[in-house]
Amino acid sequence: MTSTETRIREIVRRLEACYGVPEWQPRMSPLDELISCILSQHTSDANSFRAFGQLKERFCSWEAVEQAPTKELADTIRSGGLADSKAARIQAVLRTIREKVGAYDLDFLRQMPDDEARRWLMALPGVGPKTAAIVLCFALGRPVIPVDTHVFRVAWRLGLIEKRVGESKAHDLLQALVPPELIYRFHVALIEHGRRVCKALRPRCEVCPLTDLCVYYQENSVSMSNRGEKRKDAAS
């Protein structure tokens, strides 16, 4: 076991002691998960869930969604934000799936290896690594890690990856570091920690259980200590 793997296992252990151990279960079908994920981009969970519910209530099938006037679809999902662009993207995705598969169905991905399924999803219009990983992880239970803003922020602060790599490249880097059996739990734990403690603007380091493992804390605590010493010297 590498030192990085040991650190990751300890990080997950401590965070789960705070937030509990998540149990994976499918949230929805792979296609529903994909469309829901498109709706979630650049908006809150509450808004995207509302938009998805309105879409499912208004249209009786994915065929009806694809064939609807784009403006009608956009008006239906308006609560999710960026409705015009999301409506066009959803219809393009559904059209591509129908043309490639002959149906509005992604269940065939269950038979594909992880990498092949990920590449297939990322070939769809506007589907990037995060969206593909969410579908594979949450709908199919695959050990593919989605990296959102919380996972990325906590991971680079802990020193698992460098901040400069960006969220897109972080998918592959973290995928190679996190043991497959821990990927879902790691993802959920870091999201919870990012929301509650390791916040973007004012991280609550004083209540964090990971400070001895955190590069960001070690660097900033030294910096704050040095600034305090300088203030003392200037006052004396």
Side-chain angles (χ1 to χ4, degrees), residues 210-229:
L210 303 176
T211 51
D212 60 314
L213 301 175
C214 181
V215 172
Y216 176 87
Y217 176 80
Q218 301 300 330
E219 291 177 347
N220 282 274
S221 63
V222 170
S223 175
M224 288 185 289
S225 175
N226 288 340
R227 287 199 298 270
E229 290 299 323

Side-chain angles (χ1 to χ4, degrees), residues 112-132:
M112 284 186 177
D114 295 342
D115 287 344
E116 185 179 347
R118 185 168 178 261
R119 287 194 298 272
W120 197 96
L121 286 167
M122 289 178 62
L124 295 172
V127 174
K130 175 185 171 183
T131 298

Side-chain angles (χ1 to χ4, degrees), residues 8 17 28 31 53 80 122 126 157 178-179 198 202 206 218-219:
I8 288 171
M28 54 185 79
L31 182 52
M122 289 178 62
R157 282 178 175 172
V178 182
C198 197
R202 295 182 180 84
E206 68 278 4
Q218 301 300 330
E219 291 177 347

